[in-house]
Amino acid sequence: MKKLVISTTVALSVLFSTVGVSMPASASAQEIYATNGHKFVNTAKSYIGKVTYRFGTKDPAHLIFDCSAFTQFVFKKNGVNIPWGSKAQTSFGSRVPSKSQLAIGDLVMFSVSKPGQIDHVGIYVGNGNFISNTKSSGVVISSLNTGYWSTRYITARHY
């Protein structure tokens, strides 16, 4: 019986090694991340011109949000639960070491009131731009590297 098991095992090993059977590789974390990141960005973009900004508000039924309620809403639409509040969202995921390492879908955090204090959040869309819900313009795509936001960037988070 032992010889039969060993010869069957050897025969199967030779068969599979010569036939070249390979199992499909599972998607890398980076590929999954890129797919999710694009989903977040596409969802956020679909709300341009449809959302009203109101500080401290989370009203999905009427599409009235502050910046962090909007990012929370977008993530939840894609099956990811994150906390409400720009400061609370800095504890979500892992820290992005530098702007040059941002990936599509990362949360980007800013200081707009007190220097160094995180009080605005958006979603990185790529090419140095991010999307967020702002008091002045509603949901808008802005540059991280020029204009108003360039000096207010604090940190970012991978989810």
Side-chain angles (χ1 to χ4, degrees):
M1 182 65 164
K2 232 179 188 180
K3 286 183 182 181
L4 180 60
V5 171
I6 291 172
S7 21
T8 303
T9 304
V10 170
L12 288 173
S13 297
V14 170
L15 174 66
F16 284 115
S17 66
T18 58
V19 172
V21 173
S22 64
M23 298 299 289
S26 61
S28 71
Q30 199 169 28
E31 289 168 325
I32 292 167
Y33 184 80
T35 301
N36 287 337
H38 285 288
K39 288 179 186 176
F40 295 153
V41 168
N42 291 337
T43 300
K45 285 180 177 179
S46 75
Y47 288 96
I48 292 174
K50 299 175 184 173
V51 168
T52 301
Y53 178 94
R54 188 176 303 146
F55 180 76
T57 302
K58 179 171 51 169
D59 183 356
H62 297 101
L63 296 179
I64 303 170
F65 305 104
D66 64 12
C67 62
S68 65
F70 180 68
T71 54
Q72 182 187 45
F73 174 76
V74 168
F75 273 55
K76 187 171 185 171
K77 284 273 188 189
N78 290 283
V80 178
N81 291 316
I82 62 173
W84 184 19
S86 53
K87 288 180 194 118
Q89 289 177 6
T90 62
S91 63
F92 177 72
S94 59
R95 186 179 161 277
V96 178
S98 69
K99 272 189 190 180
S100 65
Q101 294 177 310
L102 286 169
I104 293 171
D106 283 346
L107 292 173
V108 287
M109 281 78 174
F110 303 88
S111 176
V112 295
S113 298
K114 290 183 180 179
Q117 181 179 329
I118 293 168
D119 51 15
H120 187 74
V121 62
I123 301 168
Y124 187 67
V125 301
N127 297 319
N129 297 306
F130 72 100
I131 190 166
S132 68
N133 190 23
T134 66
K135 185 177 183 178
S136 60
S137 305
V139 177
V140 63
I141 295 175
S142 306
S143 174
L144 279 171
N145 303 315
T146 60
Y148 180 82
W149 297 104
S150 64
T151 59
R152 289 167 170 79
Y153 174 85
I154 301 290
T155 190
R157 307 296 287 187
H158 289 304
Y159 57 90

